[in-house]
Amino acid sequence: MLQRKALRHLHRPLGILGGVILAMAVFSAASAQEPTTEETVADLVSALDTTWLLVAGFLVFFMQAGFAMLTAGFVRSKNTANILMKNMIDACVGGLLFWAIGYGFAYGASDSANGFIGWGSFFFDDPAGFASWFFQFAFAAAAATIVAGSLAERLKFSAYLIYTVVISGFIYPIVVHWAWDVNGWMSAFNEDPFLASGYIDFAGSGVVHMVGGWAGLVGAAILGPRMGKYGPGGRVNAIPGHNIGIATLGMFILWFGWYGFNPGSTLGLTGGLAELAAKVAVNTTLAAAAGGVAAVLYSKALTGRYDPGLLINGILAGLVGITAPCATVDPWAAVIIGAVASVLMYGAVLAIDVLKIDDPVGAFPVHGIGGLWGVIAVGLFSSEAGLEQAGYSDPSKYGLLLGGGFDQLAAQLVGAGAIIAWVVVTAGILFLGIKYTIGMRVPPEEEEKGLDLLEHGLDSYPDFGPTGPGVFSPGA
């Protein structure tokens, strides 16, 4: 009994003592792990830049929805599901291929990497680089999606699966390595740029848009035009898309996504990059607006009407044109670049019709020619202050039209020529290989009835399509 009372009396002091010891241990551990002010600031800076890169990547990926709506609106209703399915599979294939090999060819660094190709980081698994991988994947998916518009309404889905693998996994990543990797032979980030500051393409007029646009041109030329597009005597027959409303929605989604594409290419916000991102956003807006206004004016002057399709593509051409120089030019130059991109786009529409190359959504005029103009515009309009703010190595070699000499323009022309040559040769081999093996084109009867019905077994608009009972369905 006495022993129990003694233990009860000792219980409270021992409990208090144990609590004190535990508290001291927790406090000591917390003190030992408490980060310094410098570490806290560094962590916040890293978190802010990573968040910016992720959000920008989300916006660029959302452009897939824009491409889907744009191309669906510009094709006929009987091919809507087909073009939407191609846009969806681009994102899926692009994700897997860019993870497995594409990122390694673009940015992989090892003893085997060189100026032509990266080598390493295959099946990417570096947590420190996940944000960068995601941002670059969104760009890769966009490049492959551009091609779909040029080949719409007559390409086999099986052929599409093959070419999107090759573009996402090989053709596009090689250009990325040349232009954006520190080891790339023409990269502005190379320690020893080949001319002036090297090839400057801030957000991808050449790297992304020219790759997609020129690959689309090659594919369309090999595939041939849609039935009924060109008549005797050089006559061009209009084949209007089925829904200008969703095409317009697609354009606005793409414009919105471009604020991830261009400002997001600062790759961060700290260290003065927030100010640069704001400037890029302003230039992007002005170029798009100027491209749209120019399209309204020349469509009325040349065709006698205000063409909404040309307005859509004029805005997009302005966006493509400003993508390379968006960080290095002043706002007044962005207006000129956007307007000229729009005019050149329309000229390209007329030119490919003369050549009887059928591009249903205008992918080559918008992306191929708009992208080429954007690359050239860097060498014409970049200011010394703009090059310095964007961090390029030799700001003294600025735009030719501003008095900076020919050097930067020469670098841009070399870079653009290299991209075009690479894409035309590799895409030519790719599409010819497909044509003479599994075939590229659907049979004439399938093209006439629509790819939705025979390639996918459905009507996009079942109430009004060929299998439905709606008032617009053909009679029995």
mmCIF file of all heavy atoms in Angstrom, residues 200-237:
data_model
loop_
_atom_site.group_PDB
_atom_site.id
_atom_site.type_symbol
_atom_site.label_atom_id
_atom_site.label_comp_id
_atom_site.label_asym_id
_atom_site.label_seq_id
_atom_site.Cartn_x
_atom_site.Cartn_y
_atom_site.Cartn_z
ATOM 1 N N ILE A 200 18.381 33.647 -82.847
ATOM 2 C CA ILE A 200 17.475 34.053 -81.771
ATOM 3 C C ILE A 200 16.041 33.710 -82.156
ATOM 4 O O ILE A 200 15.541 34.132 -83.199
ATOM 5 C CB ILE A 200 17.604 35.567 -81.481
ATOM 6 C CG1 ILE A 200 18.996 35.884 -80.920
ATOM 7 C CG2 ILE A 200 16.518 36.033 -80.515
ATOM 8 C CD1 ILE A 200 19.246 37.370 -80.717
ATOM 9 N N ASP A 201 15.402 32.950 -81.313
ATOM 10 C CA ASP A 201 14.000 32.574 -81.515
ATOM 11 C C ASP A 201 13.388 32.430 -80.130
ATOM 12 O O ASP A 201 13.300 31.331 -79.590
ATOM 13 C CB ASP A 201 13.927 31.270 -82.305
ATOM 14 C CG ASP A 201 12.518 30.942 -82.775
ATOM 15 O OD1 ASP A 201 11.572 31.624 -82.336
ATOM 16 O OD2 ASP A 201 12.365 30.000 -83.581
ATOM 17 N N PHE A 202 12.952 33.533 -79.555
ATOM 18 C CA PHE A 202 12.630 33.570 -78.135
ATOM 19 C C PHE A 202 11.597 32.524 -77.742
ATOM 20 O O PHE A 202 11.749 31.831 -76.737
ATOM 21 C CB PHE A 202 12.147 34.967 -77.728
ATOM 22 C CG PHE A 202 11.981 35.128 -76.247
ATOM 23 C CD1 PHE A 202 13.093 35.320 -75.431
ATOM 24 C CD2 PHE A 202 10.733 35.088 -75.647
ATOM 25 C CE1 PHE A 202 12.958 35.451 -74.052
ATOM 26 C CE2 PHE A 202 10.583 35.224 -74.276
ATOM 27 C CZ PHE A 202 11.701 35.413 -73.480
ATOM 28 N N ALA A 203 10.510 32.393 -78.520
ATOM 29 C CA ALA A 203 9.447 31.464 -78.124
ATOM 30 C C ALA A 203 9.045 30.494 -79.216
ATOM 31 O O ALA A 203 8.137 29.693 -79.003
ATOM 32 C CB ALA A 203 8.214 32.241 -77.638
ATOM 33 N N GLY A 204 9.689 30.535 -80.403
ATOM 34 C CA GLY A 204 9.472 29.445 -81.329
ATOM 35 C C GLY A 204 8.812 29.729 -82.661
ATOM 36 O O GLY A 204 8.194 28.821 -83.221
ATOM 37 N N SER A 205 8.930 30.932 -83.238
ATOM 38 C CA SER A 205 8.406 31.141 -84.593
ATOM 39 C C SER A 205 8.987 30.120 -85.559
ATOM 40 O O SER A 205 8.286 29.578 -86.417
ATOM 41 C CB SER A 205 8.744 32.553 -85.092
ATOM 42 O OG SER A 205 7.985 33.537 -84.454
ATOM 43 N N GLY A 206 10.293 29.852 -85.414
ATOM 44 C CA GLY A 206 10.940 28.876 -86.264
ATOM 45 C C GLY A 206 10.919 27.487 -85.688
ATOM 46 O O GLY A 206 10.571 26.512 -86.368
ATOM 47 N N VAL A 207 11.281 27.366 -84.421
ATOM 48 C CA VAL A 207 11.436 26.053 -83.793
ATOM 49 C C VAL A 207 10.122 25.284 -83.765
ATOM 50 O O VAL A 207 10.093 24.081 -84.026
ATOM 51 C CB VAL A 207 12.002 26.201 -82.369
ATOM 52 C CG1 VAL A 207 12.053 24.860 -81.658
ATOM 53 C CG2 VAL A 207 13.391 26.822 -82.412
ATOM 54 N N VAL A 208 9.041 25.954 -83.457
ATOM 55 C CA VAL A 208 7.738 25.286 -83.352
ATOM 56 C C VAL A 208 6.911 25.474 -84.626
ATOM 57 O O VAL A 208 6.509 24.510 -85.282
ATOM 58 C CB VAL A 208 6.950 25.804 -82.132
ATOM 59 C CG1 VAL A 208 5.586 25.113 -82.047
ATOM 60 C CG2 VAL A 208 7.737 25.588 -80.846
ATOM 61 N N HIS A 209 6.679 26.719 -85.003
ATOM 62 C CA HIS A 209 5.696 26.997 -86.058
ATOM 63 C C HIS A 209 6.210 26.675 -87.448
ATOM 64 O O HIS A 209 5.476 26.119 -88.278
ATOM 65 C CB HIS A 209 5.229 28.449 -85.944
ATOM 66 C CG HIS A 209 4.516 28.727 -84.674
ATOM 67 N ND1 HIS A 209 3.206 28.360 -84.458
ATOM 68 C CD2 HIS A 209 4.934 29.299 -83.507
ATOM 69 C CE1 HIS A 209 2.841 28.698 -83.230
ATOM 70 N NE2 HIS A 209 3.874 29.266 -82.638
ATOM 71 N N MET A 210 7.464 27.018 -87.731
ATOM 72 C CA MET A 210 8.005 26.649 -89.043
ATOM 73 C C MET A 210 8.096 25.138 -89.197
ATOM 74 O O MET A 210 7.837 24.608 -90.284
ATOM 75 C CB MET A 210 9.380 27.283 -89.247
ATOM 76 C CG MET A 210 9.337 28.726 -89.708
ATOM 77 S SD MET A 210 11.001 29.420 -89.880
ATOM 78 C CE MET A 210 11.703 28.323 -91.101
ATOM 79 N N VAL A 211 8.463 24.433 -88.141
ATOM 80 C CA VAL A 211 8.536 22.975 -88.223
ATOM 81 C C VAL A 211 7.168 22.405 -88.598
ATOM 82 O O VAL A 211 7.036 21.607 -89.537
ATOM 83 C CB VAL A 211 9.040 22.369 -86.904
ATOM 84 C CG1 VAL A 211 8.836 20.855 -86.893
ATOM 85 C CG2 VAL A 211 10.514 22.699 -86.691
ATOM 86 N N GLY A 212 6.118 22.821 -87.885
ATOM 87 C CA GLY A 212 4.782 22.325 -88.186
ATOM 88 C C GLY A 212 4.282 22.764 -89.545
ATOM 89 O O GLY A 212 3.709 21.972 -90.311
ATOM 90 N N GLY A 213 4.507 24.052 -89.878
ATOM 91 C CA GLY A 213 3.992 24.586 -91.130
ATOM 92 C C GLY A 213 4.650 23.988 -92.361
ATOM 93 O O GLY A 213 3.977 23.615 -93.331
ATOM 94 N N TRP A 214 5.981 23.873 -92.338
ATOM 95 C CA TRP A 214 6.682 23.333 -93.506
ATOM 96 C C TRP A 214 6.493 21.829 -93.638
ATOM 97 O O TRP A 214 6.421 21.294 -94.748
ATOM 98 C CB TRP A 214 8.162 23.716 -93.447
ATOM 99 C CG TRP A 214 8.365 25.157 -93.820
ATOM 100 C CD1 TRP A 214 8.270 26.246 -92.984
ATOM 101 C CD2 TRP A 214 8.633 25.693 -95.118
ATOM 102 N NE1 TRP A 214 8.468 27.415 -93.682
ATOM 103 C CE2 TRP A 214 8.702 27.112 -94.998
ATOM 104 C CE3 TRP A 214 8.841 25.114 -96.363
ATOM 105 C CZ2 TRP A 214 8.961 27.940 -96.084
ATOM 106 C CZ3 TRP A 214 9.100 25.946 -97.461
ATOM 107 C CH2 TRP A 214 9.170 27.336 -97.317
ATOM 108 N N ALA A 215 6.395 21.126 -92.518
ATOM 109 C CA ALA A 215 6.067 19.698 -92.594
ATOM 110 C C ALA A 215 4.679 19.511 -93.196
ATOM 111 O O ALA A 215 4.445 18.597 -94.006
ATOM 112 C CB ALA A 215 6.138 19.060 -91.213
ATOM 113 N N GLY A 216 3.752 20.379 -92.818
ATOM 114 C CA GLY A 216 2.410 20.320 -93.381
ATOM 115 C C GLY A 216 2.398 20.581 -94.879
ATOM 116 O O GLY A 216 1.662 19.932 -95.637
ATOM 117 N N LEU A 217 3.218 21.534 -95.325
ATOM 118 C CA LEU A 217 3.294 21.823 -96.762
ATOM 119 C C LEU A 217 3.792 20.614 -97.537
ATOM 120 O O LEU A 217 3.216 20.240 -98.573
ATOM 121 C CB LEU A 217 4.236 23.011 -96.989
ATOM 122 C CG LEU A 217 4.476 23.380 -98.454
ATOM 123 C CD1 LEU A 217 3.240 24.033 -99.054
ATOM 124 C CD2 LEU A 217 5.691 24.288 -98.604
ATOM 125 N N VAL A 218 4.854 19.987 -97.033
ATOM 126 C CA VAL A 218 5.398 18.805 -97.715
ATOM 127 C C VAL A 218 4.358 17.691 -97.749
ATOM 128 O O VAL A 218 4.138 17.049 -98.790
ATOM 129 C CB VAL A 218 6.684 18.330 -97.002
ATOM 130 C CG1 VAL A 218 7.163 17.001 -97.594
ATOM 131 C CG2 VAL A 218 7.780 19.386 -97.120
ATOM 132 N N GLY A 219 3.702 17.455 -96.628
ATOM 133 C CA GLY A 219 2.688 16.417 -96.580
ATOM 134 C C GLY A 219 1.534 16.685 -97.519
ATOM 135 O O GLY A 219 1.050 15.768 -98.209
ATOM 136 N N ALA A 220 1.071 17.943 -97.566
ATOM 137 C CA ALA A 220 -0.049 18.285 -98.439
ATOM 138 C C ALA A 220 0.320 18.131 -99.912
ATOM 139 O O ALA A 220 -0.498 17.703 -100.734
ATOM 140 C CB ALA A 220 -0.509 19.714 -98.155
ATOM 141 N N ALA A 221 1.560 18.488 -100.262
ATOM 142 C CA ALA A 221 1.997 18.358 -101.649
ATOM 143 C C ALA A 221 2.046 16.895 -102.075
ATOM 144 O O ALA A 221 1.649 16.542 -103.196
ATOM 145 C CB ALA A 221 3.372 19.011 -101.819
ATOM 146 N N ILE A 222 2.529 16.019 -101.186
ATOM 147 C CA ILE A 222 2.619 14.595 -101.507
ATOM 148 C C ILE A 222 1.240 13.937 -101.483
ATOM 149 O O ILE A 222 0.937 13.074 -102.309
ATOM 150 C CB ILE A 222 3.582 13.905 -100.514
ATOM 151 C CG1 ILE A 222 5.009 14.410 -100.741
ATOM 152 C CG2 ILE A 222 3.513 12.391 -100.646
ATOM 153 C CD1 ILE A 222 6.009 13.937 -99.705
ATOM 154 N N LEU A 223 0.388 14.362 -100.580
ATOM 155 C CA LEU A 223 -0.946 13.776 -100.432
ATOM 156 C C LEU A 223 -1.868 14.152 -101.574
ATOM 157 O O LEU A 223 -2.716 13.359 -102.001
ATOM 158 C CB LEU A 223 -1.545 14.226 -99.098
ATOM 159 C CG LEU A 223 -2.907 13.692 -98.703
ATOM 160 C CD1 LEU A 223 -2.880 12.173 -98.591
ATOM 161 C CD2 LEU A 223 -3.347 14.311 -97.379
ATOM 162 N N GLY A 224 -1.734 15.365 -102.087
ATOM 163 C CA GLY A 224 -2.612 15.837 -103.147
ATOM 164 C C GLY A 224 -3.826 16.562 -102.604
ATOM 165 O O GLY A 224 -4.189 16.422 -101.433
ATOM 166 N N PRO A 225 -4.503 17.355 -103.441
ATOM 167 C CA PRO A 225 -5.643 18.155 -102.984
ATOM 168 C C PRO A 225 -6.895 17.312 -102.769
ATOM 169 O O PRO A 225 -7.002 16.182 -103.257
ATOM 170 C CB PRO A 225 -5.850 19.153 -104.126
ATOM 171 C CG PRO A 225 -5.338 18.449 -105.344
ATOM 172 C CD PRO A 225 -4.196 17.593 -104.863
ATOM 173 N N ARG A 226 -7.851 17.894 -102.054
ATOM 174 C CA ARG A 226 -9.144 17.248 -101.871
ATOM 175 C C ARG A 226 -9.892 17.178 -103.199
ATOM 176 O O ARG A 226 -9.681 17.993 -104.094
ATOM 177 C CB ARG A 226 -9.980 18.033 -100.858
ATOM 178 C CG ARG A 226 -9.484 17.963 -99.440
ATOM 179 C CD ARG A 226 -10.192 18.978 -98.559
ATOM 180 N NE ARG A 226 -9.799 20.350 -98.919
ATOM 181 C CZ ARG A 226 -10.330 21.444 -98.374
ATOM 182 N NH1 ARG A 226 -11.291 21.330 -97.473
ATOM 183 N NH2 ARG A 226 -9.905 22.638 -98.749
ATOM 184 N N MET A 227 -10.765 16.212 -103.296
ATOM 185 C CA MET A 227 -11.591 16.090 -104.496
ATOM 186 C C MET A 227 -12.406 17.364 -104.694
ATOM 187 O O MET A 227 -13.062 17.852 -103.785
ATOM 188 C CB MET A 227 -12.529 14.884 -104.356
ATOM 189 C CG MET A 227 -11.815 13.540 -104.296
ATOM 190 S SD MET A 227 -12.912 12.177 -103.782
ATOM 191 C CE MET A 227 -14.266 12.370 -104.946
ATOM 192 N N GLY A 228 -12.342 17.910 -105.923
ATOM 193 C CA GLY A 228 -13.130 19.078 -106.257
ATOM 194 C C GLY A 228 -12.506 20.402 -105.871
ATOM 195 O O GLY A 228 -13.106 21.455 -106.125
ATOM 196 N N LYS A 229 -11.307 20.410 -105.284
ATOM 197 C CA LYS A 229 -10.712 21.680 -104.859
ATOM 198 C C LYS A 229 -10.260 22.512 -106.050
ATOM 199 O O LYS A 229 -10.433 23.728 -106.072
ATOM 200 C CB LYS A 229 -9.525 21.388 -103.926
ATOM 201 C CG LYS A 229 -8.748 22.634 -103.515
ATOM 202 C CD LYS A 229 -9.602 23.606 -102.715
ATOM 203 C CE LYS A 229 -8.779 24.817 -102.282
ATOM 204 N NZ LYS A 229 -9.604 25.811 -101.548
ATOM 205 N N TYR A 230 -9.693 21.874 -107.062
ATOM 206 C CA TYR A 230 -9.184 22.610 -108.220
ATOM 207 C C TYR A 230 -9.866 22.111 -109.482
ATOM 208 O O TYR A 230 -9.968 20.898 -109.721
ATOM 209 C CB TYR A 230 -7.667 22.450 -108.339
ATOM 210 C CG TYR A 230 -6.937 22.963 -107.118
ATOM 211 C CD1 TYR A 230 -6.312 22.090 -106.241
ATOM 212 C CD2 TYR A 230 -6.906 24.320 -106.833
ATOM 213 C CE1 TYR A 230 -5.659 22.561 -105.113
ATOM 214 C CE2 TYR A 230 -6.265 24.803 -105.702
ATOM 215 C CZ TYR A 230 -5.638 23.918 -104.839
ATOM 216 O OH TYR A 230 -5.011 24.383 -103.723
ATOM 217 N N GLY A 231 -10.325 23.067 -110.277
ATOM 218 C CA GLY A 231 -11.009 22.738 -111.520
ATOM 219 C C GLY A 231 -10.141 23.025 -112.718
ATOM 220 O O GLY A 231 -8.989 23.441 -112.604
ATOM 221 N N PRO A 232 -10.683 22.810 -113.901
ATOM 222 C CA PRO A 232 -9.926 23.070 -115.131
ATOM 223 C C PRO A 232 -9.607 24.557 -115.280
ATOM 224 O O PRO A 232 -10.322 25.420 -114.762
ATOM 225 C CB PRO A 232 -10.873 22.576 -116.234
ATOM 226 C CG PRO A 232 -12.235 22.609 -115.616
ATOM 227 C CD PRO A 232 -12.038 22.328 -114.165
ATOM 228 N N GLY A 233 -8.504 24.824 -115.986
ATOM 229 C CA GLY A 233 -8.124 26.204 -116.232
ATOM 230 C C GLY A 233 -7.591 26.922 -115.014
ATOM 231 O O GLY A 233 -7.597 28.159 -114.973
ATOM 232 N N GLY A 234 -7.145 26.175 -114.025
ATOM 233 C CA GLY A 234 -6.592 26.802 -112.830
ATOM 234 C C GLY A 234 -7.639 27.341 -111.876
ATOM 235 O O GLY A 234 -7.304 28.100 -110.957
ATOM 236 N N ARG A 235 -8.910 26.952 -112.063
ATOM 237 C CA ARG A 235 -9.961 27.447 -111.182
ATOM 238 C C ARG A 235 -9.810 26.859 -109.778
ATOM 239 O O ARG A 235 -9.552 25.677 -109.601
ATOM 240 C CB ARG A 235 -11.333 27.088 -111.749
ATOM 241 C CG ARG A 235 -12.486 27.731 -110.960
ATOM 242 C CD ARG A 235 -13.837 27.447 -111.582
ATOM 243 N NE ARG A 235 -14.261 26.078 -111.328
ATOM 244 C CZ ARG A 235 -14.351 25.128 -112.251
ATOM 245 N NH1 ARG A 235 -14.008 25.398 -113.504
ATOM 246 N NH2 ARG A 235 -14.764 23.907 -111.954
ATOM 247 N N VAL A 236 -9.966 27.703 -108.772
ATOM 248 C CA VAL A 236 -9.903 27.280 -107.375
ATOM 249 C C VAL A 236 -11.312 27.307 -106.805
ATOM 250 O O VAL A 236 -11.981 28.352 -106.801
ATOM 251 C CB VAL A 236 -8.995 28.204 -106.548
ATOM 252 C CG1 VAL A 236 -8.952 27.742 -105.089
ATOM 253 C CG2 VAL A 236 -7.588 28.250 -107.131
ATOM 254 N N ASN A 237 -11.781 26.162 -106.362
ATOM 255 C CA ASN A 237 -13.126 26.067 -105.808
ATOM 256 C C ASN A 237 -13.070 26.160 -104.287
ATOM 257 O O ASN A 237 -12.337 25.413 -103.638
ATOM 258 C CB ASN A 237 -13.772 24.736 -106.212
ATOM 259 C CG ASN A 237 -13.896 24.601 -107.719
ATOM 260 O OD1 ASN A 237 -14.311 25.536 -108.397
ATOM 261 N ND2 ASN A 237 -13.528 23.443 -108.242
#
